[in-house]
């Protein structure tokens, strides 16, 4: 644990955790299998690094897939109360620098969230979604698994999406209509 970091009452810091400098982790938070940068804030009731929903079909019914990755939370991230961030299945779930997550947000396994993203309350991001820098989600937005949201490297889009429920890859926002541009 880094210098000047504070851990709240009844918080559990489990295995595989490193906490940076000047972090504030609220009461009743659970953290496991996570690398937490500097100046990170996690509000009360957050759950960081629990196993994601990994299952595969078999002849005998669903079989659990081990979740062996981590959660990587970069510097200056703020995570609201009751927010859950699942650890990666094999790789890492990543929350980019300077991003702000409101209360009651769910980030599933293997999500890569870009830098300086804003995510409002009750947003759910399904597994293996990649979100570019500066993307914003309005309250109760949802993203299905294995989507890509944000500017492609070969395009000059703002990469911002507001209150979007995506079923296909989004590559940015139309400058003319402010509507999502689908891949």
């Amino acid at each position: 644990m880094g210098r000047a970091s504070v851990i709240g009452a009844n918080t559990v810091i489990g295995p595989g955790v490193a906490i940076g400098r000047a972090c504030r982790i609220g009461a009743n938070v659970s953290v496991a299998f996570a690398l937490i940068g500097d100046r990170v804030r996690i509000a009360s009731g957050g759950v960081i690094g629990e196993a994601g929903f990994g299952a595969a079909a078999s002849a005998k019914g669903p079989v659990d897939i081990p979740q062996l990755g981590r959660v990587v939370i970069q510097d200056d991230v703020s995570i609201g109360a009751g927010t859950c961030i699942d650890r990666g299945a094999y790789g890492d779930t990543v929350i980019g620098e300077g991003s702000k997550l409101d209360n009651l947000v769910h980030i599933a396994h293997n999500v890569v969230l870009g830098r300086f993203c804003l995510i409002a309350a009750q947003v759910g991001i399904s597994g293996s979604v990649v979100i570019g820098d500066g993307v914003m989600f309005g309250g109760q937005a949802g993203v299905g698994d294995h989507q890509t949201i944000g500017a492609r490297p070969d395009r000059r889009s703002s990469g911002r999406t507001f209150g979007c429920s995506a079923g296909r890859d989004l590559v940015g926002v139309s400058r003319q209509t402010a509507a999502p541009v689908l891949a």
Side-chain angles (χ1 to χ4, degrees):
M1 186 164 89
R3 189 171 144 192
S5 289
V6 177
I7 307 293
N10 298 317
T11 288
V12 176
I13 306 299
V17 175
I19 299 170
R21 297 179 307 243
C23 294
R24 293 203 174 276
I25 299 177
N28 300 307
V29 173
S30 172
V31 183
F33 307 103
L35 302 178
I36 299 174
D38 296 335
R39 298 170 304 281
V40 171
R41 304 287 185 260
I42 303 172
S44 297
V47 178
I48 312 296
E50 287 295 328
F53 182 73
S58 77
K60 296 180 181 180
V63 176
D64 288 336
I65 297 172
Q67 305 291 288
L68 305 173
R70 307 171 297 182
V71 174
V72 177
I73 301 172
Q74 296 178 354
D75 296 344
D76 301 307
V77 169
S78 175
I79 298 170
T83 291
C84 295
I85 303 174
D86 295 343
R87 66 191 282 201
Y90 302 111
D92 293 333
T93 300
V94 178
I95 307 300
E97 173 189 5
S99 291
K100 308 294 181 199
L101 285 65
D102 198 359
N103 300 333
L104 301 172
V105 170
H106 180 250
I107 307 291
H109 63 276
N110 295 82
V111 168
V112 176
L113 182 66
R115 299 174 311 127
F116 309 111
C117 293
L118 299 176
I119 300 181
Q122 298 180 349
V123 167
I125 300 175
S126 297
S128 301
V129 170
V130 176
I131 299 170
D133 294 345
V135 174
M136 298 179 212
F137 289 92
Q140 295 189 331
V143 181
D145 61 327
H146 299 274
Q147 305 297 316
T148 300
I149 299 175
R152 287 186 180 164
D154 61 337
R155 299 208 182 176
R156 293 184 177 208
S157 172
S158 68
R160 289 178 164 74
T161 304
F162 301 91
C164 177
S165 180
R168 297 189 307 189
D169 287 353
L170 298 174
V171 296
V173 176
S174 166
R175 292 175 191 250
Q176 289 78 26
T177 65
V181 177
L182 300 172

